[in-house]
Amino acid sequence: MRKSFRAGAVAMLAAATMLAAGCSGGSTTGSQSAATSDPNQKVELTYWAWAPNLEKVVELWNEKNPTIHVTVNKQDGGDPAVTKLLTAVKAGSGAPDLIQAEYQKIPTLVAADALADLSGTVANETKSHFPDGVWNDVTLGGDALYSVPQDTGPMVFYYRADIFEKLGITVPKTWEEYAAAAKTVHAADPEAYLGTFSSNDAGWFTGMAQQAGASWWGVDGDAWNVKIAEEPTDKVAGFWGGLVEEGVIDNKPMYTPEWNTALNTGKQVGWLSAAWGPGVLEGNAGATAGMWKVAPMPQWDASKPSTGNWGGSSTAVTSQSKNLDAAAKFATWLNTDPEAVKALVKEAGIYPADTAGAESSLTEAPAFFSNQPDFYKVVGEAAQNVGSFTYGPNVNVAYNAYNDQFAKAAQSKQKSAFLDAVSNMQQVTVDDLKKTGFTVK
């Protein structure tokens, strides 16, 4: 019998997919509970993760919890760790007790029966610590709990305050005002842009679609549905396609030597990014320290503030762990205990998903933004306005389709091509779900 997850339709989809793939597995819930029934028994937990200096944070736990020892096994980022875990799950052994799981990868791991349900553990009591949109990411909108949120990436708008002042530009509160500001910047200097449309950053585009109200996957009974090619995403694609076609926004990818140089020389005057942006700006445009400020994302409806999320991860317990309760206890401590959250901020440089932890740990602006003492107040308010967004089990396919389709659209500089790219993303994603055995409505 397949392991039972309590997410209703998602559970049935997971089981159906595994059966379609010719896989089977035994329920581990019983063995997990039995293994943690003796509170005096020494437990050894392994934790696959890639956040920097995480072992220093875990040392705090180990010092205070001699009966539950955690060893961090450093991994090479999100995708390699997920692939490694899926291989272990298929083999029936070799998985760690815990894994750092990016939010967009959770549905894939659930569908592969790789994660334990934490809803019956102490981890389920952490809901009040996190914004609703983040909690949705780890529950998939159901009753099961697949992970404890760790960090998040609420999106905000970074801009060169000195150039805005020089050109008399007011910080845009709406996307209409953003478009007007983009025209002003480019008219003043034909080599300067307020931003760029980046066709190789699917997570960036996903966050903007999320802000507009999109949720690209959903569960309908015993089937998935895909809602990429709908009004919210079309609106975002059409907006950026129109700016690129007009020539007032750049069409080159981010994170290139060319982009870095433009940040340093004032040719890239703004950047729609996430809470972790200061580290990138400091590393790539160090000469501009003190010249930037942060503001909320421009809004589609200023009376209903919203933002998207770009990045972030969580701490999940794998289905092979024989120490469910102990692992859940550690995951809860790591991401909600005030001392642990402060250590995560200091050692790993994250933006905590825990609302109170972020507020108490981030009391001073990053050094790069020393000119803006309320930096984290702005980011914290944005974090509370992140809407719910449901990821699907083939997010990698959709993201690859984004890279392929929007690279062509950006190159063409045609608004119609941007809209076509959304339709093509939809088709590729649906076709892949069907090909891999999912029912799609």
Side-chain angles (χ1 to χ4, degrees):
M1 179 181 294
R2 300 285 316 147
K3 177 179 176 182
S4 174
F5 286 91
R6 284 170 284 194
V10 173
M12 290 185 284
L13 290 168
T17 302
M18 295 301 288
L19 290 172
C23 299
S24 63
S27 174
T28 59
T29 305
S31 63
Q32 288 170 331
S33 299
T36 56
S37 60
D38 182 359
N40 298 314
Q41 181 179 356
K42 179 70 177 290
V43 172
E44 291 285 345
L45 303 176
T46 54
Y47 181 17
W48 287 1
W50 59 87
N53 301 317
L54 193 58
E55 63 278 1
K56 294 182 180 179
V57 184
V58 174
E59 283 177 10
L60 299 175
W61 166 270
N62 288 335
E63 290 172 0
K64 297 182 179 181
N65 296 272
T67 62
I68 304 175
H69 184 268
V70 180
T71 299
V72 177
N73 189 322
K74 295 301 285 290
Q75 303 295 308
D76 295 327
D79 285 338
V82 167
T83 300
K84 191 175 177 181
L85 177 60
L86 293 176
T87 300
V89 169
K90 186 176 181 180
S93 64
D97 294 280
L98 302 117
I99 186 168
Q100 184 177 351
E102 294 174 300
Y103 298 120
Q104 71 268 24
K105 302 297 174 56
I106 291 176
T108 300
L109 295 172
V110 170
D113 204 13
L115 302 184
D117 178 5
L118 305 179
S119 62
T121 72
V122 66
N124 204 49
E125 300 172 10
T126 65
K127 180 179 180 180
S128 62
H129 286 255
F130 308 107
D132 290 343
V134 175
W135 191 252
N136 182 79
D137 286 339
V138 295
T139 61
L140 306 187
D143 296 326
L145 174 63
Y146 297 110
S147 201
V148 180
Q150 183 168 101
D151 64 312
T152 186
M155 292 186 72
V156 287
F157 175 51
Y158 298 103
Y159 65 97
R160 282 285 299 271
D162 57 329
I163 295 177
F164 267 48
E165 182 177 358
K166 177 182 177 181
L167 298 179
I169 301 174
T170 302
V171 179
K173 295 182 178 180
T174 67
W175 286 111
E176 184 179 7
E177 291 175 359
Y178 178 92
K183 294 173 185 176
T184 299
V185 168
H186 192 58
D189 180 353
E191 295 183 355
Y193 298 95
L194 185 56
T196 188
F197 182 86
S198 188
S199 60
N200 62 356
D201 286 285
W204 171 78
F205 183 79
T206 302
M208 290 193 294
Q210 179 181 4
Q211 187 214 18
S215 184
W216 285 353
W217 289 267
V219 176
D220 184 358
D222 62 351
W224 284 98
N225 53 43
V226 179
K227 298 183 268 189
I228 297 174
E230 294 196 352
E231 191 271 339
T233 307
D234 281 340
K235 178 167 62 178
V236 173
F239 174 81
W240 287 95
L243 294 180
V244 170
E245 183 176 281
E246 194 174 348
V248 296
I249 283 289
D250 200 3
N251 67 330
K252 304 295 193 306
M254 297 183 287
Y255 298 106
T256 63
E258 180 183 8
W259 183 71
N260 292 343
T261 298
L263 289 176
N264 267 300
T265 59
K267 302 305 182 183
Q268 284 287 329
V269 178
W271 185 31
L272 287 151
S273 185
W276 40 260
V280 176
L281 290 172
E282 184 174 10
N284 295 344
T288 62
M291 300 178 185
W292 295 80
K293 283 192 174 182
V294 67
M297 285 182 78
Q299 300 293 309
W300 294 107
D301 183 346
S303 67
K304 299 176 182 177
S306 64
T307 195
N309 192 71
W310 183 15
S313 58
S314 62
T315 308
V317 180
T318 75
S319 56
Q320 285 185 10
S321 176
K322 295 180 180 180
N323 300 289
L324 175 66
D325 291 333
K329 185 177 179 181
F330 166 74
T332 298
W333 172 86
L334 180 65
N335 300 306
T336 62
D337 179 86
E339 182 184 19
V341 174
K342 281 188 177 182
L344 283 171
V345 171
K346 178 183 177 182
E347 302 293 349
I350 68 163
Y351 183 83
D354 182 277
T355 300
E359 185 176 350
S360 63
S361 302
L362 301 168
T363 55
E364 294 184 8
F368 193 83
F369 282 85
S370 59
N371 58 311
Q372 189 176 7
D374 69 341
F375 178 92
Y376 280 118
K377 180 181 178 181
V378 174
V379 175
E381 290 175 353
Q384 297 307 307
N385 293 325
V386 175
S388 294
F389 186 96
T390 300
Y391 292 98
N394 63 341
V395 65
N396 282 355
V397 171
Y399 277 19
N400 287 336
Y402 169 86
N403 292 341
D404 293 341
Q405 299 300 323
F406 277 95
K408 299 174 186 175
Q411 185 66 29
S412 74
K413 298 184 180 181
Q414 297 294 317
K415 178 178 178 179
S416 59
F418 278 69
L419 297 173
D420 289 342
V422 175
S423 298
N424 292 336
M425 274 185 69
Q426 168 88 13
Q427 191 62 53
V428 169
T429 305
V430 169
D431 289 348
D432 177 76
L433 281 176
K434 292 178 178 178
K435 180 181 178 181
T436 50
F438 287 96
T439 300
V440 182
K441 287 187 178 178

